Amino acid sequence: MKQMKQTTRPPDQRPADVRNGAATAAPPPARARKRRRPASTQWAAWGFLAPVTLYLALFYAYPLYRNIDLSLRNYTVRSFVQGDAPFTGLANYRTVFDNPTFAPALLHTALFTAVCLVFQYAIGLALAVFFNQHFRLSATLRALFLVPWLLPLIVSASTWSWMLNTDSGVVNAALHALGIGPVDWLTSPSWSLTSVIIANIWIGVPFNLVVLYSGLQSIPAGLYEAAALDGAGAWRRFWSITFPLLRPVSAITLLLGLVYTLKVFDIIWIMTKGGPADSSTTFATWSYQLGFGNLLPAFGPGAAVGNLLVVAALVFGLVYVRVQRKQALS
């Protein structure tokens, strides 16, 4: 039998488009595909960044630098004008720490900030949950609750000073109608800090209400319906759905409230000026008293107290960023 020789042809290793008769040009290399951004686009980007950069440099970076420089030099009125203050290092900070007002001011600042944050957040959250029910006149009442937030601080503080006046205030008049004696809200060391805390809580509640109410709008209504079908009551739905899902919004609300409350000055100064006997003095009012409240201003120690507030706000801000990063990774 005659054996036929079979020849095997190597497989066609050409590209599929060439084998099918549709030869196309090879794609250009990666470097060739990259095109340089036009110069006009780059200039446009810098043009949009320039106003923000200039604003941050003029109103944040430079004032912070000047405040640090003030706290490290022995400035007087003369040297402040001429700019020849000697460098003293951390001497102004030691002066602040050794001052007998430091401990009470630190305690008052901590109490003022903590109590205001707790009550502002709790009342704001309760009102946000209440208005989230979308009943009739809900929008009108929400708008009315924004009035304390929209008023100038000097108007709000002056109004509370009149309301809490010992002799002619409406608060003491209401207490008298209930058979309670008058309270020296603004002139008693036992009540002055409480008075400014009440006023600041009233002013800060609308901000918490607005932010937390917007956070509630992002929670799907289907979760509440499913929980209700499972037999969960209103309190259970709040702790199992509302509060956990509102945690990111709550964190940023508390952080912004903390930064704002740390630097509150207008309300305290208008109502009590930090008195009587420094009973309502905080770091914000003490810094102003040191720098501008005396005939011989102490610019260095006043700037040092202000820097302590900056450091406190920065620490809490870094803690917030770290917690948010952990939550994002988990």
Side-chain angles (χ1 to χ4, degrees):
M1 179 182 293
K2 187 176 180 180
Q3 297 180 352
M4 298 178 63
K5 296 183 178 179
Q6 298 180 354
T7 60
T8 60
R9 297 178 61 186
D12 194 352
Q13 298 180 354
R14 294 177 299 168
D17 52 357
V18 177
R19 292 198 304 269
N20 296 333
T24 56
R31 292 182 179 178
R33 288 199 302 266
K34 291 183 179 179
R35 295 182 179 180
R36 175 174 290 183
R37 182 179 297 177
S40 59
T41 306
Q42 294 181 355
W43 282 110
W46 282 109
F48 282 108
L49 287 175
V52 178
T53 305
L54 184 63
Y55 175 81
L56 293 176
L58 289 178
F59 296 101
Y60 284 89
Y62 179 72
L64 182 60
Y65 160 75
R66 287 293 298 159
N67 203 57
I68 295 175
D69 182 70
L70 278 173
S71 66
L72 298 178
R73 296 180 181 274
N74 184 20
Y75 273 97
T76 61
V77 177
R78 176 180 174 277
S79 60
F80 187 82
V81 175
Q82 297 182 354
D84 56 350
F87 181 80
T88 58
L90 300 178
N92 290 322
Y93 291 92
R94 289 193 294 268
T95 301
V96 168
F97 293 145
D98 294 338
N99 195 306
T101 309
F102 175 78
L106 177 61
L107 178 61
H108 297 158
T109 303
L111 286 175
F112 181 82
T113 304
V115 175
C116 287
L117 280 182
V118 170
F119 280 91
Q120 286 174 354
Y121 177 79
I123 299 174
L125 180 58
L127 291 174
V129 173
F130 174 72
F131 286 119
N132 197 38
Q133 300 175 8
H134 302 291
F135 55 90
R136 184 177 296 181
L137 297 180
S138 174
T140 304
L141 291 177
R142 287 203 314 270
L144 292 177
F145 270 99
L146 292 179
V147 172
W149 191 30
L150 299 177
L151 287 176
L153 290 178
I154 187 172
V155 175
S156 300
S158 301
T159 302
W160 275 101
S161 297
W162 170 74
M163 292 173 59
L164 296 176
N165 186 274
T166 304
D167 300 323
S168 59
V170 295
V171 176
N172 277 345
L175 293 178
H176 178 72
L178 297 175
I180 303 175
V183 177
D184 298 328
W185 296 100
L186 304 177
T187 57
S188 172
S190 303
W191 288 101
S192 59
L193 185 62
T194 303
S195 302
V196 295
I197 287 176
I198 293 174
N200 191 65
I201 290 174
W202 180 79
I203 294 172
V205 164
F207 171 76
N208 287 260
L209 167 61
V210 170
V211 178
L212 295 174
Y213 180 81
S214 63
L216 289 176
Q217 302 303 304
S218 62
I219 301 178
L223 296 177
Y224 295 103
E225 296 175 358
L229 292 176
D230 291 338
W235 194 249
R236 183 63 179 175
R237 291 196 299 269
F238 173 79
W239 286 111
S240 300
I241 299 176
T242 303
F243 195 73
L245 295 182
L246 207 60
R247 192 170 299 165
V249 180
S250 299
I252 190 63
T253 303
L254 291 173
L255 176 64
L256 294 177
L258 173 70
V259 174
Y260 168 79
T261 309
L262 278 175
K263 64 182 184 64
V264 167
F265 166 77
D266 315 66
I267 301 169
I268 302 175
W269 190 257
I270 293 173
M271 293 181 65
T272 64
K273 289 185 171 57
D278 294 334
S279 59
S280 59
T281 296
T282 62
F283 276 172
T285 59
W286 189 30
S287 177
Y288 178 83
Q289 287 176 340
L290 289 173
F292 305 99
N294 300 314
L295 294 177
L296 296 176
F299 294 115
V305 175
N307 287 333
L308 294 179
L309 288 175
V310 174
V311 171
L314 180 62
V315 168
F316 284 104
L318 293 177
V319 171
Y320 168 78
V321 172
R322 185 176 182 86
V323 171
Q324 290 295 103
R325 186 175 300 174
K326 286 186 176 181
Q327 291 180 353
L329 294 177
S330 61

